[in-house]
Amino acid sequence: MNDKFIPKIPERTVISIRLEDVLISQIDGFAKRQKMSRNELIKQCILFAIQHIDEDVFQG
């Protein structure tokens, strides 16, 4: 049994997206109220959308 703590950095990829200023302001407002980073909120929103997407829309 290994009783040593070995920290690991999860694999992540940096991406860039362009958003309208109004949308960024809305995201920042929601993130601030939840005491989380903009990145974390966007990540959770994307995950939610993927989990709830209607895959029938993308068939064809």
Side-chain angles (χ1 to χ4, degrees):
M1 179 177 193
N2 188 352
D3 60 349
K4 293 183 182 180
F5 172 70
I6 302 171
K8 297 178 183 164
I9 298 172
E11 290 188 35
R12 295 187 178 164
T13 301
V14 175
I15 64 167
S16 175
I17 60 172
R18 290 173 180 81
L19 302 171
E20 293 82 5
D21 291 342
V22 172
L23 182 55
I24 293 170
S25 293
Q26 290 175 319
I27 291 167
D28 287 348
F30 288 128
K32 183 176 182 179
R33 287 194 293 273
Q34 293 300 316
K35 296 183 172 77
M36 66 173 47
S37 69
R38 175 195 293 167
N39 183 77
E40 183 62 28
L41 178 63
I42 291 171
K43 184 175 70 172
Q44 289 185 27
C45 288
I46 292 169
L47 181 59
F48 180 86
I50 289 171
Q51 290 171 341
H52 294 86
I53 200 161
D54 181 358
E55 292 194 32
D56 293 338
V57 172
F58 295 99
Q59 292 182 5

